[in-house]
């Protein structure tokens, strides 16, 4: 039983190491680390486990292959080693299996297969050659080093093998390889010389592009007698230069491990399991903990705030920030209590985020906590966030407290205070905000104007009108918005003048403010719509006239004014070339003012623009019948229509019209007009 336990513990240790290797971490096994060998006479269950691991080396899963190979080597059992070496040299064995075994020998720094690894450097498979080279570089025993040096200097060895050995020696970082590598600089093979030079630079930390063997011999002559401590002392500065890059790489590797862990959770069917996510909150990697917080926040369960409670004291600021933001989306009482505790966090960023999150809650205890924190925090960003949160909640209890910050020495605090006060819609803030309209910071002035508009108290209209002369266009823009929200007659008169502001944004905002005023009399709407028409802002004029007609058309006392508005609206439709809408109005208007020739002409123009000549001729017939005094007007109009059709080369239609008109009047409206009609038939 004791033997079996040792077997399992040994395998598990090796398995964990292999997993770190697979994830990409530069995990190293210290020189003094040893794994106890399995005791002789192990039982049948141990033998079965051994056979199982040998079989798992051939698994299709690279993680299982690597774990099995490393575990077998960790047993330090002759049968296990011989099985692996046999598979290593079997060319019929799968390539991925051989590569996993190669990597296992390198990872465990096991030099018992060194000759087999060197032989593999001459294989046709590039992945196997690469894996063998890497593993040889990890074998840092003195015997392994001497065997590689001897093999590299063997003149019978191929250049490809020598090159791989040169690279492997460089990876050992062993100064005992320097002399052998310097000798390779004199070789005829340029690629071998380059590999030797790169390995020399790696071992000696000499950043040089020099592959002259004489230079290196001289350098080695000066430095080989130095102790290891002296040598390291000389290169420490260079190491420090690279330290930042190394730290960056380490952080990147950690990130990669975290990302792989996250992907592992995501790919599991039970990825939204609360227990699994709760375990992820304890991960060594902050990225994994942040992922877990985000996923937990998506689960709408009352127990989630309780699960996040431990994470609010996480050592990483980024994690605590994520927890605070997650709690802000959860509406439970527990979430509010945790957020309140976060207002005392050592991190300014966490306190700021906690205040913002509490701003999403409309609970009295959140207001009390924020007010308490407001008077004990001196950091500007935190105070800013608290004031903003109080404004979002909008509890009247906070108004007097917030008002005091309108006189704060920091402009951005006065700014956020001015903005927040508008959300309370409380008249207590009107006078302080009017005072803030004179602040030397334009952002304070414009937020003060915005808030006065939201409150809507007419008391501030005179002050807002004065603000229309402000040198800042943005401030004037806020002033016109506020005046539009108040919308009394005095505000409207000022906005009409501002339509001529020299800044297009201000003028545009004034127009929008005017058109959005809800309560307006007929005459006020008429004045504003006419102003838009005069400024050639036809679309707004159209919108306002239509709104006016919709609201007041059924009031008998306004019928004459309504008629005039319809005439103006019809003209706007014509200006916009909306002939059909204009026609609808003119057909109604002409019935009410039958004697107005100007209206008739506009109606006929709409019909002509729409190519509805027959309907135009019908109107002329109606008007002659109703009043003979229309004869000259109507015959001239008929002639114009015939001329238009003639210019369109609709000759048959012109003849048809003339014949039809002769039936009404053979004289065709008189000698002069008849002569022009007859000219169309020539």
């Amino acid at each position: 039983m004791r033997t079996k336990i040792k077997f399992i513990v040994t395998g598990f240790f090796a398995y964990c190491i292999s997993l770190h290797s697979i994830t990409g971490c530069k995990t190293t096994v210290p020189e003094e680390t040893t794994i106890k060998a399995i005791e002789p006479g192990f039982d049948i269950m141990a033998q079965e486990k051994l056979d199982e691991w040998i079989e798992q080396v051939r698994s299709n899963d690279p993680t299982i292959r690597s774990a099995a190979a490393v575990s077998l080597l960790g047993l330090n059992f002759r049968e296990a080693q011989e099985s692996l070496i046999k598979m290593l040299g079997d060319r019929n064995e799968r390539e991925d299996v051989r590569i996993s075994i190669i990597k296992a020998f390198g990872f465990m720094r096991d030099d018992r297969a060194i000759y087999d690894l060197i032989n593999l450097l001459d294989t046709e498979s590039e992945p196997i050659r690469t894996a063998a080279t890497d593993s040889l570089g990890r074998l840092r025993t003195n015997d392994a080093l001497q065997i590689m040096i001897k093999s590299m200097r063997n003149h019978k060895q191929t250049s490809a093998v020598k090159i791989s050995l040169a690279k492997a020696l460089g990876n050992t970082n062993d100064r005992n390889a320097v002399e052998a590598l310097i000798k390779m600089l004199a070789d005829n093979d340029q690629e071998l010389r380059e590999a030797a030079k790169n390995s020399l630079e790696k071992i000696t930390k000499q950043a040089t592009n020099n592959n002259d063997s004489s230079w290196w011999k001289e350098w080695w002559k000066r430095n080989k007698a130095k102790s290891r401590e002296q040598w390291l002392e000389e290169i420490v500065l260079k190491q420090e230069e690279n330290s930042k890059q190394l730290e960056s790489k380490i952080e990147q590797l950690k990130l990669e491990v975290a990302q792989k862990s996250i992907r592992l959770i995501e790919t599991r069917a039970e990825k939204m399991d609360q227990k699994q996510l709760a375990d992820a909150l304890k991960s060594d990697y902050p990225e994994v903990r942040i992922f877990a917080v985000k996923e937990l926040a998506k689960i709408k369960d009352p127990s989630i705030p309780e699960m996040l409670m431990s994470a609010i004291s996480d050592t990483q600021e980024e994690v605590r920030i994520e927890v605070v933001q997650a709690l802000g989306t959860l509406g439970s009482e527990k979430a509010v209590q945790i957020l309140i505790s976060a207002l005392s966090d050592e991190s300014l960023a966490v306190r700021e985020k906690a205040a913002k999150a509490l701003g999403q809650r409309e609970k009295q205890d959140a207001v009390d906590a924020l007010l308490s924190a407001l008077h004990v925090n001196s950091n500007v960003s935190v105070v800013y966030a608290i004031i903003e949160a109080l404004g979002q909640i909008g509890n009247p209890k906070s108004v007097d407290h917030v008002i005091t910050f309108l006189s704060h020495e920091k402009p951005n605090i006065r700014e956020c205070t001015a903005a927040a006060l508008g959300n309370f819609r409380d008249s207590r803030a009107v006078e302080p905000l009017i005072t803030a309209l004179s602040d030397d910071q334009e952002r304070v002035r414009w937020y003060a104007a915005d808030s006065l508009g939201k409150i809507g108290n007419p008391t501030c209209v005179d002050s807002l009108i004065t603000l229309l002369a402000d040198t800042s266009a943005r401030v004037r823009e806020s002033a016109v918005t506020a005046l539009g929200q108040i919308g009394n007659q005095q505000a409207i008169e000022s906005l009409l003048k501002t339509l001529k502001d020299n800044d297009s944004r201000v003028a545009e905002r004034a127009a929008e403010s005017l058109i959005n005023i809800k309560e307006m009399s007929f005459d006020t709407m008429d004045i504003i719509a006419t102003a838009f028409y005069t400024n050639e802002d036809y679309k707004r004029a159209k919108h306002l006239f239509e709104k006016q007609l919709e609201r007041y058309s059924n009031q008998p006392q306004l019928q004459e004014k309504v008629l005039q508005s319809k005439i103006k609206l019809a003209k706007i439709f014509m200006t916009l070339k909306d002939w059909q809408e204009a026609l609808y109005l003119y057909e109604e208007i002409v019935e009410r003012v039958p004697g107005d020739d100007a209206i008739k002409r506009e109606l006929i123009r709409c019909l002509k623009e729409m190519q509805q000549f027959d309907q135009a001729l019908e109107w002329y017939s109606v008007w002659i019948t109703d009043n003979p005094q229309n004869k000259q007007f109507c015959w001239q109009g008929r002639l114009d229509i015939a001329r238009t059709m003639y210019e369109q080369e609709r000759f048959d239609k012109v003849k048809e019209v003339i014949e039809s008109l002769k039936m009404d009047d053979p004289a065709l409206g008189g000698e002069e007009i008849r002569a022009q009609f007859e000219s169309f038939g020539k």
Side-chain angles (χ1 to χ4, degrees):
M1 183 65 182
R2 181 182 176 189
T3 302
K4 183 167 63 177
I5 292 172
K6 282 191 175 183
F7 182 96
I8 294 171
V9 171
T10 302
F12 179 76
F13 177 69
Y15 175 75
C16 292
I17 294 174
S18 66
L19 282 182
H20 276 283
S21 178
I22 291 164
T23 56
C25 285
K26 292 188 176 180
T27 306
T28 58
V29 180
E31 296 287 350
E32 67 275 13
T33 301
T34 59
I35 302 175
K36 290 186 178 180
I38 190 167
E39 293 180 8
F42 59 92
D43 60 22
I44 295 174
M45 290 181 66
Q47 178 63 55
E48 290 176 352
K49 193 65 179 177
L50 176 64
D51 294 339
E52 179 185 340
W53 280 358
I54 291 174
E55 183 61 31
Q56 285 179 352
V57 173
R58 293 189 173 93
S59 169
N60 290 325
D61 188 325
T63 303
I64 295 175
R65 286 201 307 273
S66 298
V70 171
S71 297
L72 285 166
L73 287 177
L75 294 174
N76 199 22
F77 183 56
R78 183 173 57 81
E79 182 179 342
Q81 173 208 338
E82 289 177 351
S83 298
L84 290 176
I85 291 177
K86 183 178 179 181
M87 295 167 72
L88 196 63
D90 187 353
R91 293 182 179 273
N92 294 322
E93 187 63 73
R94 280 174 24 215
E95 182 177 277
D96 56 353
V97 172
R98 298 172 74 193
I99 289 173
S100 292
I101 296 171
I102 292 168
K103 289 182 176 180
F105 275 103
F107 181 75
M108 296 298 288
R109 295 181 179 177
D110 189 328
D111 63 5
R112 289 174 291 179
I114 185 168
Y115 290 108
D116 300 272
L117 293 175
I118 291 174
N119 289 335
L120 290 175
L121 296 177
D122 206 24
T123 186
E124 293 180 356
S125 170
E126 183 177 348
I128 288 181
R129 293 198 307 271
T130 301
T133 301
D134 292 343
S135 288
L136 285 167
R138 289 174 175 266
L139 305 180
R140 297 176 182 179
T141 64
N142 186 59
D143 288 344
L145 185 71
Q146 295 306 318
I147 291 170
M148 284 191 282
I149 290 174
K150 183 177 179 180
S151 182
M152 182 181 68
R153 296 177 63 179
N154 186 347
H155 68 278
K156 294 181 180 181
Q157 198 64 270
T158 64
S159 292
V161 172
K162 291 181 179 180
I163 291 168
S164 295
L165 286 168
K167 292 178 179 178
L169 287 168
N171 290 335
T172 65
N173 279 314
D174 194 321
R175 63 188 293 178
N176 291 318
V178 171
E179 289 189 12
L181 288 168
I182 290 175
K183 289 179 179 179
M184 291 299 103
L185 294 176
D187 196 273
N188 293 328
D189 190 307
Q190 181 179 352
E191 191 173 352
L192 176 56
R193 295 197 304 273
E194 186 67 23
K197 184 263 293 182
N198 291 338
S199 290
L200 284 167
E201 289 181 348
K202 186 176 292 186
I203 295 171
T204 64
K205 305 300 184 290
Q206 297 299 306
T208 174
N209 290 320
N210 198 331
N211 59 0
D212 183 355
S213 61
S214 60
W215 185 91
W216 279 101
K217 287 177 182 178
E218 185 62 31
W219 182 89
W220 183 239
K221 184 178 179 180
R222 294 194 310 269
N223 291 277
K224 69 178 179 178
K226 293 179 181 178
S227 67
R228 183 177 182 82
E229 289 72 19
Q230 289 173 321
W231 198 359
L232 291 174
E233 187 177 350
E234 289 182 0
I235 64 174
V236 69
L237 291 176
K238 292 182 180 179
Q239 290 289 74
E240 288 178 353
E241 291 175 2
N242 296 329
S243 64
K244 289 186 179 180
Q245 295 180 7
L246 291 174
E247 289 174 5
S248 176
K249 289 180 180 179
I250 291 171
E251 290 303 316
Q252 183 61 34
L253 287 171
K254 288 182 179 179
L255 179 59
E256 289 175 8
V257 172
Q259 289 172 340
K260 288 179 181 178
S261 300
I262 291 170
R263 284 197 293 271
L264 185 61
I265 297 174
E266 288 177 324
T267 54
R268 291 178 181 170
E270 68 279 11
K271 67 178 180 179
M272 295 305 289
D273 179 67
Q274 294 184 27
K275 184 179 183 306
Q276 178 178 283
L277 292 171
D279 290 340
L281 287 175
K282 303 171 185 176
S283 169
D284 292 336
Y285 303 101
E287 293 81 6
V288 176
R289 302 201 295 275
I290 288 172
F291 169 80
V293 172
K294 288 181 177 179
E295 292 301 314
L296 284 168
K298 296 176 184 178
I299 303 174
K300 304 304 179 183
D301 189 287
S303 65
I304 300 302
E306 189 74 33
M307 296 175 67
L308 292 175
M309 178 176 278
S310 61
I312 200 63
S313 57
D314 195 283
T315 56
Q316 292 291 320
E317 179 187 63
E318 295 82 357
V319 178
R320 301 201 302 279
I321 288 174
E322 196 61 48
V323 172
V324 164
Q325 292 181 156
L327 290 168
T329 65
L330 303 174
S332 72
E333 186 68 31
K334 189 64 178 178
V336 173
Q337 293 304 315
I338 298 173
L339 288 171
I340 289 174
S341 70
L343 288 174
S344 303
D345 194 277
E346 63 180 20
S347 164
L348 295 175
V350 173
R351 299 206 298 273
E352 180 183 346
K353 298 295 182 182
K356 290 183 177 180
L358 284 168
Q360 302 173 41
R361 309 268 72 84
E362 296 183 2
K363 295 184 178 294
Q364 184 61 44
D365 50 359
V367 174
D368 293 340
L370 287 167
L371 288 174
S372 297
L374 182 63
H375 296 291
V376 298
N377 275 278
S378 58
N379 180 267
V380 172
S381 63
V382 177
V383 172
Y384 190 110
I386 293 173
I387 291 173
E388 189 177 61
L390 289 168
Q392 284 181 292
I393 297 173
N395 191 307
K397 179 180 179 180
S398 309
V399 175
D400 289 331
H401 294 271
V402 174
I403 285 175
T404 61
F405 286 86
L406 267 181
S407 57
H408 197 277
E409 61 177 349
K410 297 294 184 181
N412 53 344
I413 295 297
R414 300 200 301 276
E415 171 192 325
C416 76
T417 303
L421 285 170
N423 295 328
F424 292 102
R425 307 294 201 276
D426 195 301
S427 59
R428 284 176 289 172
V430 172
E431 288 302 325
L433 286 170
I434 289 175
T435 301
L437 294 178
S438 302
D439 196 281
D440 59 355
Q441 296 293 317
E442 68 169 336
R443 293 177 66 87
V444 177
R445 299 198 299 277
W446 91 47
Y447 279 118
D450 286 342
S451 288
L452 285 168
K454 291 177 182 178
I455 296 171
N457 191 319
T459 304
C460 64
V461 169
D462 286 336
S463 299
L464 290 171
I465 291 174
T466 301
L467 205 63
L468 293 176
D470 197 280
T471 55
S472 166
R474 181 62 183 83
V475 172
R476 300 200 302 278
E477 192 176 340
S478 290
V480 296
T481 300
L483 287 167
Q485 290 170 312
I486 296 170
N488 63 12
Q489 190 62 36
Q490 187 182 7
I492 290 172
E493 291 172 0
S494 298
L495 289 172
L496 286 170
K497 295 176 182 177
T498 313
L499 291 174
K500 299 292 186 180
D501 194 279
N502 56 15
D503 187 284
S504 59
R505 293 176 304 169
V506 177
E508 179 70 14
R509 178 58 60 185
E512 282 298 304
S513 296
L514 284 166
I515 207 168
N516 290 323
I517 294 174
K518 295 180 180 179
E519 299 299 327
M520 287 190 285
S521 67
F522 183 96
D523 291 338
T524 299
M525 293 177 77
D526 195 69
I527 291 170
I528 297 173
T530 301
F532 286 143
Y533 185 85
T534 303
N535 290 341
E536 299 183 354
D537 190 346
Y538 301 118
K539 289 186 178 180
R540 285 196 178 93
K542 166 181 154 309
H543 172 80
L544 212 51
F545 276 127
E546 287 177 332
K547 186 175 179 180
Q548 183 190 52
L549 294 175
E550 179 184 356
R551 186 177 298 178
Y552 296 104
S553 287
N554 296 327
Q555 296 189 17
Q557 71 276 18
L558 295 175
Q559 289 310 297
E560 186 57 37
K561 290 183 177 181
V562 168
L563 176 61
Q564 295 304 314
S565 292
K566 287 182 178 180
I567 293 173
K568 293 174 184 177
L569 182 58
K571 290 181 180 295
I572 290 172
F573 280 128
M574 289 187 67
T575 302
L576 297 174
K577 300 188 183 303
D578 189 344
W579 307 109
Q580 186 63 64
E581 291 297 327
L583 178 62
Y584 289 150
L585 283 172
Y586 278 125
E587 285 179 335
E588 177 187 348
I589 294 168
V590 78
E591 294 290 345
R592 295 186 59 184
V593 284
D596 192 327
D597 288 348
I599 298 298
K600 294 175 183 176
R601 289 190 181 90
E602 298 296 343
L603 187 154
I604 295 299
R605 182 185 173 191
C606 291
L607 291 169
K608 289 174 69 176
E609 291 287 350
M610 297 168 63
Q611 302 289 304
Q612 295 183 17
F613 299 121
D614 289 341
Q615 190 174 346
L617 292 170
E618 288 177 9
W619 273 108
Y620 282 130
S621 296
V622 170
W623 292 334
I624 287 179
T625 302
D626 289 347
N627 188 350
Q629 292 181 355
N630 290 324
K631 177 179 178 180
Q632 182 65 28
F633 167 76
C634 291
W635 275 104
Q636 184 62 49
R638 289 167 166 175
L639 177 63
D640 291 340
I641 290 174
R643 181 179 293 108
T644 300
M645 290 189 292
Y646 185 82
E647 290 170 352
Q648 294 175 351
E649 298 184 357
R650 299 172 61 186
F651 305 124
D652 291 341
K653 183 63 178 177
V654 173
K655 290 180 180 180
E656 179 185 331
V657 168
I658 292 174
E659 292 302 320
S660 175
L661 293 176
K662 283 182 178 180
M663 294 177 65
D664 288 346
D665 182 1
L668 294 175
E671 183 176 344
E672 182 178 347
I673 292 178
R674 182 179 61 186
Q676 294 183 61
F677 272 120
E678 291 175 346
S679 68
F680 297 143
K682 295 180 180 180

